[in-house]
Amino acid sequence: ELRPRTDEVVVGPLTSLAVAGVGFGLIQVLPEGTVAHLVAFQIAVANLVVGLFNLVPGLPLDGGRILRDVVWAATGREHTGTLVAAWTGRVLAVVLVVLAIVPFLLVGDAVWLIWGLLLASFIWVEAGRALVQSRVRRGMDSLSARSLTRRAVPVSDELSVSEAVRQGANAQAGALVAVDASGNPIRVV
């Protein structure tokens, strides 16, 4: 049975935030100006940024998965949760583009522009992929295995092709299964 999995999704951001906490704790005890202090500071800041950014509620980020699961739990419909989280992710992508363009226009900083556009395009594409997968999954709910099957007729592998096709047509079969003398299937036509 499918169910929201928020408890599994939150582990990644919490791990990053825990590592950031350890890094900030190390900063307090390591001598300032040392390589160890600098490394602890960098680890703390990097993990804090990653952990907080990953909690932003928009697919494909973990925060988007949490949002999807919350909406899914509230509505009972996975598709609705995915729609909300994916479109929130797309809004986030547009915001990132704006946030990348502004520093570029103000100070000519191309680094922020490039990173912002790369990140925004990744989020936009992955949110779109989630929308497509959700639509496909929703459409598959109405399918049954029986509706996808075709009637197959066994024919001897020694028959001519025209005779095998004639037998298949007479039986209104969608496929032929060539069998050996023992009745074991050899190939499907």
Side-chain angles (χ1 to χ4, degrees), residues 159-181:
L159 282 181
S160 67
V161 172
S162 61
E163 178 59 21
V165 169
R166 188 190 65 70
Q167 287 184 17
N170 287 344
Q172 296 179 337
L176 302 172
V177 179
V179 294
D180 62 17

Side-chain angles (χ1 to χ4, degrees), residues 12-88:
L14 289 180
T15 302
S16 293
L17 294 174
V19 171
V22 169
F24 283 119
L26 287 172
I27 291 169
Q28 306 307 313
V29 297
L30 292 171
E32 223 175 294
T34 64
V35 172
H37 185 270
L38 180 62
V39 169
F41 178 77
Q42 293 295 326
I43 288 173
V45 171
N47 277 282
L48 180 64
V49 169
V50 168
L52 291 176
F53 185 75
N54 217 359
L55 284 172
V56 172
L59 281 176
L61 302 173
D62 286 336
R65 291 187 173 102
I66 293 168
L67 175 61
R68 178 198 60 206
D69 291 352
V70 167
V71 172
W72 179 3
T75 63
R77 297 174 56 200
E78 181 183 14
H79 182 69
T80 301
T82 302
L83 283 176
V84 169
W87 280 104
T88 303

Side-chain angles (χ1 to χ4, degrees), residues 132-173:
V132 169
Q133 287 174 347
S134 182
R135 278 189 223 116
V136 168
R137 192 174 303 127
R138 188 173 184 198
M140 289 179 65
D141 289 343
S142 63
L143 293 177
S144 68
R146 181 181 238 40
S147 68
L148 298 174
T149 59
R150 292 191 274 168
R151 186 161 186 258
V153 175
V155 294
S156 169
D157 69 331
E158 295 182 10
L159 282 181
S160 67
V161 172
S162 61
E163 178 59 21
V165 169
R166 188 190 65 70
Q167 287 184 17
N170 287 344
Q172 296 179 337

